[in-house]
C-alpha cells in the first residue's frame, strides 16, 4: 500500500513565513505550516499533489445553497513534488483564525482537476472533482505504475495564538480489479489471440468533498471501457484495471480465438443468490477474479487490501474451495490422483497424505450397499503423486489399486486418506466368506471419526466413485479416475489489531456515559438551573490541582486499562473454543453428512506464525445452523462468551476475528466515583440576585446542598473491568 503522510502545523500567530513553491494569500492573520512525505510506487513524477482550502462564506450571493464552501482558485494549491528523500515542506501566510476545511489529494499526473460549473470552474468547494477518465482510458494497466487516488479531508478550527500540529495519512479511495485467466493454453482448446475485459457504466470521476465522514462521492458521468493484458501460453494471463468504487454489472470477458470465433463469460461471483453474484470494487481493495476453465463460465471472487499492512489473502496449492463432484468416471484398474498435487505439483511427494484406505461396497438389495473389501494401499507416506506408473508406483501399490468385480453388479468404491489409525473408521465390518449380511457394515452406516487433534499431516481426504458393472465389459478394463478431496473444514480465530489505550479512553460513547452520570448527579438542579443540567463541558474544564476534571478522568481510566484482562487476548499463545453440547461435527458419512457422537467438546490450538488459532471439524450439513456452534472462546486467561455459527461446509476455511474492545458497554455498572464540589452560582447562573439565590437554596434545602457548594459524585467506568467493553466478532470466508 502506498502511504502518504502529511505533517501539518496550523498557527494563528501573526507570523509570516516564506513559501517553498508559492504564497497563497488568505485573509487576515495567521500561518499554516506543513510537511509532506510520500513514497511513490510508480516512479518519480507519476503523481501530483494538491491542497484545497475552504471556509464558509454565506454572505456571498453566488452561494444559494448554504452548504456551499468558498474555495477560490488561489486556495487550490499544487504542491511541489517531494525530493529524493520523499519529503518537502510548505507554508501559507495570513490565515484568519477561524474554521477551515482542508482537502489533500494525491493523483496520477493524467487526472484532471475540474469542477461543476462554466468551463469546469466553480468557487464552491463542494463542486470540485477529479476527472479519472484519462486513467480509465488506459486499456493496458499491467505495468507497476501507481494509478491510485489518495485523499484526506478534515475540518479544523485555527485559533489565535495557538499552534496545531498533526500527522495526516491520505487514504486510497480507488480500488483495483484483477482478472486472472490462468494459463490460456491450459484453459482453452483453441489458440487464444485476444482477451478483453469489457466494463460498463464505469464512474468517470469523484468529488474532492466527502460530504460525510470518509464518504466517496462519484460524479454522475459514466462510460464503458475495455481492458487487455498480454497473451503468453507459458504464464497466467492477467488483466488489471484501476477503478473507482462500483458494482460490476453487465460486465464480461470476451475471448477471441485464432479462427476468429469468440466466447463471452460474465464477470460474476460464483454464489447461489443473485445478490451475491455481483462483484463489488471497493476502495483500497484489490478484487481478484479467477477463471476456472472452458467448462465453467463463472468466476470466483477474492477481496484484499493493498500492500504495506492492508488487509491481505494468500493462495497456495492447499486450496479450501469446497467439495466438487468428480467429473471423471473386469478387472477394475484405479488411477489415483491427489487433488493437491495432480496438476501443478505432479511428480512430488506430499506429507499431507500419510495413508490411503480402499473400501468397496456392493449393492446386495434394492437400497443398501454392503462392505465387501477393505485394504490399505502400501507405501503411501513416501509416494510420488499422482500415483501412476510413470511416477514409479510399486508393484504392491498397483496390485492394491486394482480389483476383480462381477459384471452386472453395482458398486461404490471409497478411497480415504489418513484414516488408518485406530478409531478413525466406525462400522467397517467386511462381509465374511459365508456372506452373512447381518454382521456386514452398510455403506450408509460407516462413519469417519475425527482424531482428537487435527493438523496438516492427518486431515482426511476422500473420494467416492460409483461403478456400474451393468455397463462393464469382460474384455475391456474400466479405468476409474480418482481425485482425493479434503473432507474437513477449518475455522481460524485471531485477535484484531491491538488498539491504543488513548483511543479507547477518548471513545465517544465513554464520554456520553460519563455525561449521563453527571446529569444524574445534578438531577435536583434540572428545573432550577437548566444550564447546570447541560454544563458538562464546564465541569470537565474545572481544575483539580494540576489537572482538570477531564484530564483527571482520562489519567485514571488510562491507568485502569493496564489491568483489564481483555489485553491478554492479544498476547495469548494458545486458545480454547467450547462448542455447544451436541453440535460439534466429529463424524461424517461417505455421503458427507455430518453428525455428533461426543458430549461437551473443547478444543485447544496453539498460535501459528501468522498469529491465528486453527480449529478443525467436519463441515455443517446444508441448511443446518445447529452444528459447530461455538459458545465460548478463551484466549490466554480471558474467557469470551459468544454464539458463533459459521455454517461452513466441507473443505471450507473461515477466519473469525475477535475485537475484545469492539464496543463500550453503555449498560456497565462497574464504575468508580470522583467527588466534585460545584459552585453552581458562579458557573451557571447568569442573572444573579439575592432573591434568585434564596429561591434556589430553599429548593435545595432538603438535599443539604447549596447553590454555591453543590457536591456531586461523578461516576465513570472502571476500565480495569472486562465488563466495561463488549467483544465483537467478524467472520470472513477465506
Amino acid at each position: 500500500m502506498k502511504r502518504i503522510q502529511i505533517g501539518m502545523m496550523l498557527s494563528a500567530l501573526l507570523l509570516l513565513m516564506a513559501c517553498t513553491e508559492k504564497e497563497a494569500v488568505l485573509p487576515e492573520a495567521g500561518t499554516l505550516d506543513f510537511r509532506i512525505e510520500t513514497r511513490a510506487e510508480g516512479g518519480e513524477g507519476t503523481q501530483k499533489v494538491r491542497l484545497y482550502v475552504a471556509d464558509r462564506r454565506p454572505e456571498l450571493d453566488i452561494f444559494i445553497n448554504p452548504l456551499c464552501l468558498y474555495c477560490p482558485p488561489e486556495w487550490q494549491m499544487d504542491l511541489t513534488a517531494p525530493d529524493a528523500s520523499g519529503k518537502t515542506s510548505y507554508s501559507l501566510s495570513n490565515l484568519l483564525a477561524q474554521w477551515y476545511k482542508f482537502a489533500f489529494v494525491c493523483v496520477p499526473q493524467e487526472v484532471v482537476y475540474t469542477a461543476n460549473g462554466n468551463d469546469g470552474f466553480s468557487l464552491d468547494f463542494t463542486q470540485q472533482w477529479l476527472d479519472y477518465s484519462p486513467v480509465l482510458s488506459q486499456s493496458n494497466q499491467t505495468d507497476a505504475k501507481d494509478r491510485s487516488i489518495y485523499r484526506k479531508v478534515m475540518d479544523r478550527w485555527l485559533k489565535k495564538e495557538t499552534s496545531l500540529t498533526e500527522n495526516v495519512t491520505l487514504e486510497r479511495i480507488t480500488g483495483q480489479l484483477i482478472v486472472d485467466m490462468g494459463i490460456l493454453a491450459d484453459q482453452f482448446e483453441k489458440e487464444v489471440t485476444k482477451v478483453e475485459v469489457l466494463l460498463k457504466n464505469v464512474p468517470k470521476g469523484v468529488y474532492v468533498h466527502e460530504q460525510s465522514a470518509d464518504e466517496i462521492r462519484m460524479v454522475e458521468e459514466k462510460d464503458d471501457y475495455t481492458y487487455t493484458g498480454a497473451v503468453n501460453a507459458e504464464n497466467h494471463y492477467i488483466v488489471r484495471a484501476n477503478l473507482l468504487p462500483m458494482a460490476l454489472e453487465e460486465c464480461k470477458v470476451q475471448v477471441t480465438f485464432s479462427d476468429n470465433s469468440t466466447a463471452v463469460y460474465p464477470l460474476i461471483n460464483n454464489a447461489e443468490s443473485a445478490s451475491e453474484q455481483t462483484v463489488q470494487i471497493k476502495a483500497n481493495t484489490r478484487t481478484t477474479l479467477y477463471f476456472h476453465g472452458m467448462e465453467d463460465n463463472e468466476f470466483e471472487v477474492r477481496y484484499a487490501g493493498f500492500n504495506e499492512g492492508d488487509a491481505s489473502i494468500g493462495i497456495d496449492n492447499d486450496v479450501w474451495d469446497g467439495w466438487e463432484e468428480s467429473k471423471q468416471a473386469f478387472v477394475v484398474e484405479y488411477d489415483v490422483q491427489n487433488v493437491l498435487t495432480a496438476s501443478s505439483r505432479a511428480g512430488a511427494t506430499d506429507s499431507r497424505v500419510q495413508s490411503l484406505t480402499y473400501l468397496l461396497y456392493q449393492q446386495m438389495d434394492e437400497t443398501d450397499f454392503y462392505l465387501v473389501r477393505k485394504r490399505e494401499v502400501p507405501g503411501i507416506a513416501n509416494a510420488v503423486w499422482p500415483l501412476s506408473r510413470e511416477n514409479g508406483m510399486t508393484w504392491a501399490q498397483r496390485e492394491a489399486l486394482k480389483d476383480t468385480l462381477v459384471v452386472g453388479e453395482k458398486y461404490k468404491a471409497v478411497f480415504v486418506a489418513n484414516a488408518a489409525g485406530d478409531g478413525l473408521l466406525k462400522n467397517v465390518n467386511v462381509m465374511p466368506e459365508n456372506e452373512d449380511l447381518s454382521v456386514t457394515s452398510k455403506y450408509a452406516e460407516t462413519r469417519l471419526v475425527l482424531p482428537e487433534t487435527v493438523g496438516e499431516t492427518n486431515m482426511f481426504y476422500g473420494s467416492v466413485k460409483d461403478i456400474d458393472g451393468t455397463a462393464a465389459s469382460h474384455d475391456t478394463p474400466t479405468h476409474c479416475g480418482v481425485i482425493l478431496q479434503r473432507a474437513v473444514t477449518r475455522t481460524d480465530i485471531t485477535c484484531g489489531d491491538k488498539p491504543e489505550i488513548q483511543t479507547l479512553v477518548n471513545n465517544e460513547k465513554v464520554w456520553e456515559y460519563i455525561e449521563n452520570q453527571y446529569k444524574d448527579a445534578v438531577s435536583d438542579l434540572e428545573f432550577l438551573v437548566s444550564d447546570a443540567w447541560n454544563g458538562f463541558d464546564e465541569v470537565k474544564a474545572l481544575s483539580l490541582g494540576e489537572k482538570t476534571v477531564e484530564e483527571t478522568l482520562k489519567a485514571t481510566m488510562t491507568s485502569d486499562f493496564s489491568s483489564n484482562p481483555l489485553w491478554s487476548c492479544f498476547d495469548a499463545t494458545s486458545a480454547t473454543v467450547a462448542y455447544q453440547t451436541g453440535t460439534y461435527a466429529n463424524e461424517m458419512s461417505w455421503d458427507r453428512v455430518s453428525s455428533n457422537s461426543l458430549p461437551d467438546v473443547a478444543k485447544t490450538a496453539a498460535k501459528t506464525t501468522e498469529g491465528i488459532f486453527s480449529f478443525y471439524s467436519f463441515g455443517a450439513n446444508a441448511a443446518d445452523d445447529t452444528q459447530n456452534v461455538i459458545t465460548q472462546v478463551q484466549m490466554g486467561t480471558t474467557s469470551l462468551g459468544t454464539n458463533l455459527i459459521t455454517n461452513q461446509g466441507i473443505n471450507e476455511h473461515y477466519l473469525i476475528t475477535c475485537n475484545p474492545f469492539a464496543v463500550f458497554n453503555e449498560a456497565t455498572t462497574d464504575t468508580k466515583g470522583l467527588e466534585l464540589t460545584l459552585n453552581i452560582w458562579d458557573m451557571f447562573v447568569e442573572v444573579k440576585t439575592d432573591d434568585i439565590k434564596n429561591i434556589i437554596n430553599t429548593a435545595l434545602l432538603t438535599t443539604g446542598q447549596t447553590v454555591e457548594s453543590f457536591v456531586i459524585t461523578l461516576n465513570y467506568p472502571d476500565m480495569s473491568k472486562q465488563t466495561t467493553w463488549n467483544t465483537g466478532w467478524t467472520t470472513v470466508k477465506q
Side-chain angles (χ1 to χ4, degrees):
M1 182 187 77
K2 173 177 176 179
R3 291 171 55 88
I4 302 176
Q5 291 189 322
I6 298 177
M8 180 171 64
M9 183 177 72
L10 306 177
S11 175
L13 299 173
L14 298 179
L15 174 66
L16 300 180
M17 301 183 68
C19 293
T20 299
E21 181 180 12
K22 62 182 180 181
E23 289 194 357
V25 179
L26 302 179
E28 305 207 7
T31 63
L32 179 152
D33 295 323
F34 58 89
R35 59 190 181 278
I36 274 189
E37 180 178 348
T38 66
R39 286 187 287 164
E41 293 178 345
E44 186 176 355
T46 61
Q47 292 200 313
K48 54 188 177 182
V49 181
R50 172 170 284 197
L51 167 62
Y52 294 82
V53 182
D55 68 1
R56 293 191 179 96
R57 297 292 177 96
E59 70 276 8
L60 296 183
D61 294 337
I62 59 172
F63 295 136
I64 300 176
N65 185 347
L67 298 179
C68 296
L69 298 174
Y70 181 62
C71 182
E74 61 268 24
W75 289 14
Q76 302 171 27
M77 288 153 277
D78 294 320
L79 308 183
T80 305
D83 56 24
S85 67
K87 301 178 181 179
T88 189
S89 60
Y90 305 91
S91 296
L92 301 174
S93 301
N94 299 326
L95 277 171
L96 178 65
Q98 61 171 33
W99 176 90
Y100 292 98
K101 183 177 285 290
F102 297 95
F104 297 89
V105 295
C106 179
V107 300
Q109 290 286 351
E110 300 92 330
V111 169
V112 178
Y113 302 122
T114 186
N116 293 332
N118 294 330
D119 298 324
F121 174 79
S122 174
L123 293 174
D124 183 2
F125 171 72
T126 65
Q127 299 302 309
Q128 308 297 320
W129 60 281
L130 307 173
D131 185 355
Y132 200 50
S133 59
V135 174
L136 297 172
S137 300
Q138 298 171 11
S139 61
N140 191 327
Q141 300 186 10
T142 55
D143 56 25
K145 180 179 178 180
D146 189 354
R147 294 175 171 87
S148 303
I149 294 178
Y150 302 85
R151 184 190 69 179
K152 182 62 177 179
V153 183
M154 56 189 184
D155 301 336
R156 292 293 183 270
W157 278 96
L158 185 57
K159 299 180 180 180
K160 189 174 182 180
E161 299 181 357
T162 300
S163 296
L164 174 62
T165 302
E166 61 180 282
N167 288 324
V168 181
T169 300
L170 276 67
E171 301 291 340
R172 182 189 282 109
I173 63 172
T174 51
Q176 189 178 78
L177 170 67
I178 297 179
V179 179
D180 186 342
M181 298 297 294
I183 299 175
L184 297 179
D186 293 343
Q187 300 282 35
F188 301 99
E189 182 178 0
K190 294 183 288 186
E191 180 185 359
V192 176
T193 58
K194 182 168 59 176
V195 176
E196 296 173 300
V197 175
L198 310 177
L199 304 184
K200 295 179 67 65
N201 298 320
V202 179
K204 295 178 62 177
V206 60
Y207 284 100
V208 176
H209 187 31
E210 88 284 34
Q211 192 72 32
S212 60
D214 298 325
E215 181 181 354
I216 302 174
R217 300 171 55 234
M218 252 64 69
V219 299
E220 294 183 359
E221 296 182 46
K222 298 180 180 180
D223 208 342
D224 300 340
Y225 296 94
T226 299
Y227 298 95
T228 62
V231 176
N232 187 328
E234 299 301 323
N235 298 295
H236 284 220
Y237 186 96
I238 304 294
V239 179
R240 289 188 179 89
N242 290 272
L243 304 168
L244 291 162
M246 64 174 293
L248 298 183
E249 297 178 341
E250 301 182 24
C251 300
K252 57 191 177 182
V253 173
Q254 179 170 292
V255 181
T256 303
F257 303 101
S258 57
D259 61 0
N260 292 325
S261 62
T262 60
V264 176
Y265 305 92
L267 282 177
I268 58 175
N269 180 17
N270 187 11
E272 293 183 1
S273 66
S275 61
E276 295 177 343
Q277 290 181 352
T278 301
V279 177
Q280 300 288 337
I281 302 300
K282 301 181 180 181
N284 197 30
T285 302
R286 176 178 292 125
T287 301
T288 304
L289 305 179
Y290 296 94
F291 184 68
H292 283 320
M294 56 186 177
E295 295 184 355
D296 188 353
N297 61 354
E298 292 185 339
F299 285 80
E300 180 176 274
V301 65
R302 299 281 177 123
Y303 293 105
F306 281 65
N307 297 326
E308 294 186 29
D310 288 345
S312 63
I313 298 178
I315 303 174
D316 62 17
N317 292 320
D318 189 5
V319 181
W320 298 80
D321 58 355
W323 184 284
E324 297 182 10
E325 296 294 341
S326 175
K327 297 180 180 179
Q328 306 176 5
F330 194 91
V331 173
V332 175
E333 184 174 342
Y334 298 102
D335 300 321
V336 180
Q337 294 182 346
N338 184 319
V339 70
L340 304 178
T341 61
S343 57
S344 62
R345 296 173 60 194
T349 59
D350 197 322
S351 61
R352 282 170 282 196
V353 179
Q354 296 294 306
S355 68
L356 184 62
T357 304
Y358 164 66
L359 304 98
L360 182 72
Y361 296 83
Q362 182 178 348
Q363 187 173 13
M364 297 291 189
D365 54 37
E366 291 185 1
T367 58
D368 293 325
F369 287 76
Y370 291 81
L371 182 60
V372 295
R373 215 98 74 227
K374 175 180 178 290
R375 60 173 172 255
E376 297 296 322
V377 179
I380 293 300
N382 299 313
V384 176
W385 294 89
L387 293 179
S388 65
R389 298 189 181 221
E390 292 79 6
N391 281 337
M393 281 180 62
T394 66
W395 177 261
Q397 289 171 341
R398 291 200 296 268
E399 288 297 299
L401 290 171
K402 68 177 182 180
D403 212 337
T404 301
L405 308 180
V406 178
V407 173
E409 298 294 334
K410 293 184 177 181
Y411 299 88
K412 289 183 180 291
V414 177
F415 289 88
V416 58
N418 301 326
D422 293 338
L424 301 181
L425 289 172
K426 186 162 69 174
N427 300 328
V428 283
N429 297 318
V430 179
M431 185 175 66
E433 291 185 2
N434 63 4
E435 299 185 358
D436 183 359
L437 296 183
S438 65
V439 297
T440 304
S441 295
K442 297 179 182 179
Y443 172 87
E445 297 172 340
T446 305
R447 296 291 183 271
L448 262 177
V449 182
L450 275 180
E452 180 64 26
T453 302
V454 180
E456 288 296 322
T457 59
N458 69 340
M459 295 183 199
F460 294 135
Y461 298 85
S463 178
V464 177
K465 306 296 295 186
D466 290 316
I467 301 174
D468 187 359
T470 61
S473 168
H474 172 76
D475 300 323
T476 304
T478 298
H479 292 272
C480 183
V482 176
I483 297 179
L484 302 174
Q485 299 188 68
R486 184 172 19 234
V488 299
T489 192
R490 171 180 167 184
T491 305
D492 286 348
I493 297 180
T494 187
C495 259
D497 294 334
K498 197 172 186 177
E500 295 290 338
I501 290 180
Q502 203 59 41
T503 301
L504 299 175
V505 168
N506 292 330
N507 185 283
E508 179 181 352
K509 296 298 182 182
V510 171
W511 288 95
E512 286 180 4
Y513 178 89
I514 298 174
E515 182 172 5
N516 289 332
Q517 295 294 316
Y518 162 76
K519 290 182 177 180
D520 289 342
V522 297
S523 58
D524 291 337
L525 296 171
E526 180 178 357
F527 301 107
L528 298 174
V529 185
S530 59
D531 285 343
W533 175 254
N534 298 312
F536 186 56
D537 287 340
E538 288 83 350
V539 172
K540 286 194 298 182
L542 285 178
S543 176
L544 293 178
E546 297 180 354
K547 296 180 179 179
T548 64
V549 170
E550 181 178 11
E551 291 169 342
T552 301
L553 291 175
K554 286 184 176 181
T556 303
M557 289 190 291
T558 298
S559 177
D560 290 343
F561 254 117
S562 62
S563 56
N564 192 307
L566 290 173
W567 292 115
S568 69
C569 297
F570 297 97
D571 302 319
T573 57
S574 66
T576 300
V577 298
Y579 293 86
Q580 181 176 313
T581 301
T583 69
Y584 180 65
N586 74 304
E587 291 191 358
M588 187 182 72
S589 71
W590 295 134
D591 288 333
R592 302 184 301 286
V593 177
S594 300
S595 58
N596 171 271
S597 64
L598 296 174
D600 293 349
V601 175
K603 294 291 183 181
T604 301
K607 182 181 287 187
T608 67
T609 55
E610 292 80 17
I612 62 174
F613 306 97
S614 297
F615 301 90
Y616 300 89
S617 66
F618 287 120
N621 299 324
D624 188 349
D625 59 0
T626 63
Q627 291 184 295
N628 297 323
V629 179
I630 298 175
T631 57
Q632 189 176 63
V633 177
Q634 179 168 324
M635 294 187 183
T637 60
T638 304
S639 294
L640 305 170
T642 184
N643 187 45
L644 295 171
I645 306 174
T646 62
N647 286 330
Q648 62 197 79
I650 188 171
N651 192 30
E652 291 187 340
H653 177 198
Y654 280 65
L655 175 65
I656 300 175
T657 301
C658 167
N659 181 357
F661 297 101
V663 179
F664 173 69
N665 180 13
E666 299 177 64
T668 183
T669 58
D670 286 323
T671 61
K672 289 185 173 183
L674 179 65
E675 187 172 287
L676 301 175
T677 300
L678 306 180
N679 188 327
I680 302 299
W681 184 254
D682 288 343
M683 293 174 63
F684 303 120
V685 178
E686 292 186 7
V687 180
K688 295 179 173 61
T689 68
D690 290 341
D691 289 340
I692 293 176
K693 179 183 292 188
N694 291 333
I695 291 172
I696 298 175
N697 282 332
T698 299
L700 294 175
L701 189 61
T702 59
T703 68
Q705 307 270 49
T706 69
V707 71
E708 293 174 315
S709 180
F710 192 86
V711 180
I712 67 170
T713 298
L714 180 58
N715 291 323
Y716 60 95
D718 184 353
M719 293 304 181
S720 68
K721 304 296 185 182
Q722 179 176 338
T723 54
T724 55
W725 292 89
N726 293 326
T727 301
W729 304 90
T730 303
T731 302
V732 178
K733 183 178 181 181
Q734 301 300 289

